[in-house]
Amino acid sequence: MEAGRKENGREIGGGVDEVAPTSGRRRVEVSGQKNEAVYHLFGGEGSLTKNECPGKCSYRCSATSHTTVCMTYCNYCCERCLCVPSGTYGNKEECPCYNNMKTQEGKPKCP
């Protein structure tokens, strides 16, 4: 991963590098400032397109008996966050936007 380009002896940009696309989607790696950790956005927020939401939500809601309600809210959340957690339950830490959406009563909005 390249740190950035140099211009007039100073480093310009840096920290964000585009990696070869996989499955037709772009993957970005972001280098942390202090600990130089690498964070992958692939699979997290913004990793889906709106067209991919119904398929991901169909799997996410496949284990519930309340499929219609689950699909409604899952698609609502996916269209805003462009992410659906893996599996049929839990794993919401993969999509903070999806995890943080709440109802007026303060309960989780996204399945």
Side-chain angles (χ1 to χ4, degrees):
M1 192 170 7
E2 188 178 298
R5 63 185 172 90
K6 289 196 176 188
E7 191 172 284
N8 295 332
R10 292 186 335 193
E11 189 171 270
I12 305 293
V16 178
D17 292 293
E18 198 170 313
V19 179
T22 54
S23 305
R25 289 182 272 186
R26 188 175 58 148
R27 187 174 94 185
V28 177
E29 292 182 2
V30 180
S31 175
Q33 298 263 336
K34 293 183 180 181
N35 61 5
E36 293 301 317
V38 176
Y39 301 94
H40 298 278
L41 299 177
F42 190 68
E45 285 182 27
S47 65
L48 298 176
T49 64
K50 286 186 178 185
N51 294 336
E52 294 173 302
C53 289
K56 295 290 184 179
C57 287
S58 180
Y59 177 72
R60 179 79 176 170
C61 296
S62 64
T64 184
S65 58
H66 306 285
T67 309
T68 304
V69 174
C70 182
M71 286 292 293
T72 300
Y73 285 104
C74 181
N75 279 302
Y76 174 86
C77 296
C78 181
E79 287 178 9
R80 279 148 189 79
C81 301
L82 299 178
C83 179
V84 174
S86 62
T88 57
Y89 182 80
N91 304 317
K92 289 186 180 182
E93 68 280 354
E94 296 173 0
C95 305
C97 167
Y98 191 97
N99 188 36
N100 295 333
M101 291 181 87
K102 306 289 183 207
T103 63
Q104 291 178 344
E105 295 83 28
K107 296 180 181 179
K109 177 171 252 170
C110 308

